[in-house]
Amino acid sequence: MPPRTRRGPYAKGLARRTEILHAALAAYGRADHQPPSLKQIADTLDLTEAGLLHYFDSKDHMLVAVLQARDDVAGESFDLTSWTGIFAALRRTYETPGEVKLFVDMMVAAADPEHPAYAFFTARDARMRVRLRTVLGLSESEDDWLPRILVAALEGLQVQWLRDPETDILADIERLVRHLVPRDA
């Protein structure tokens, strides 16, 4: 028997969900420090808010999916196995205050293990540490302190940047890396 392909309503639902995520990511990318409303996102797709959320378990699940889409785009657009690629991805991030605001809001919500952002940020943190361990040339047996501190610094600087847009996150992180990272890494 030939393998079944996904067609029909299921495939259409996945395509619509992807369309919603792209529209939401674009809306957050255009937004300033005040994120777009669900209504604004729904309007771009000729949907109601209820129609928009039909494709997700909840608003928070949708917002976490937007963050995952943002990370997926960064992974496809930048070489995240090098400092050059990481800094280029960071530079792009800080051109989109709405995305940073969403990230920080969901990061705070992730303090609750019952919130959908908890699983996302737990997995993301692990990926970031592995990525940084690789860029730093650290072996599995070496202390995880430096990757953990770099992730914490990035997250904390984002909060500061939202309060004070004059904060130069990229310059601060580059300076921190120069001070903390061995020259041969």
Side-chain angles (χ1 to χ4, degrees), residues 66-132:
V66 170
L67 288 177
Q68 183 61 59
R70 180 187 93 147
D71 283 359
D72 293 346
V73 168
E76 294 165 3
S77 304
F78 301 99
D79 174 14
L80 300 178
T81 63
S82 71
W83 286 119
T84 302
I86 289 171
F87 289 138
L90 288 173
R91 191 172 299 106
R92 189 259 170 227
T93 295
Y94 303 117
E95 295 169 355
T96 56
E99 288 180 21
V100 175
K101 174 76 166 103
L102 172 62
F103 181 88
V104 169
D105 288 348
M106 290 293 104
M107 182 177 59
V108 170
D112 176 1
E114 299 300 316
H115 194 279
Y118 179 85
F120 169 79
F121 277 95
T122 300
R124 185 180 194 280
D125 186 58
R127 284 191 311 273
M128 293 287 294
R129 288 185 191 189
V130 167
R131 185 173 293 135
L132 287 169

Side-chain angles (χ1 to χ4, degrees), residues 16 38-39 41-43 45-54:
R16 188 64 162 167
L38 284 181
K39 181 175 180 356
I41 296 167
D43 286 350
L45 297 162
D46 292 325
L47 288 171
T48 64
E49 289 178 57
L52 184 81
L53 291 177
H54 168 76

Side-chain angles (χ1 to χ4, degrees), residues 133 136-145 147:
R133 290 182 76 75
L136 292 164
L138 298 175
S139 69
E140 283 298 314
S141 63
E142 291 182 83
D143 189 5
D144 199 32
W145 178 84

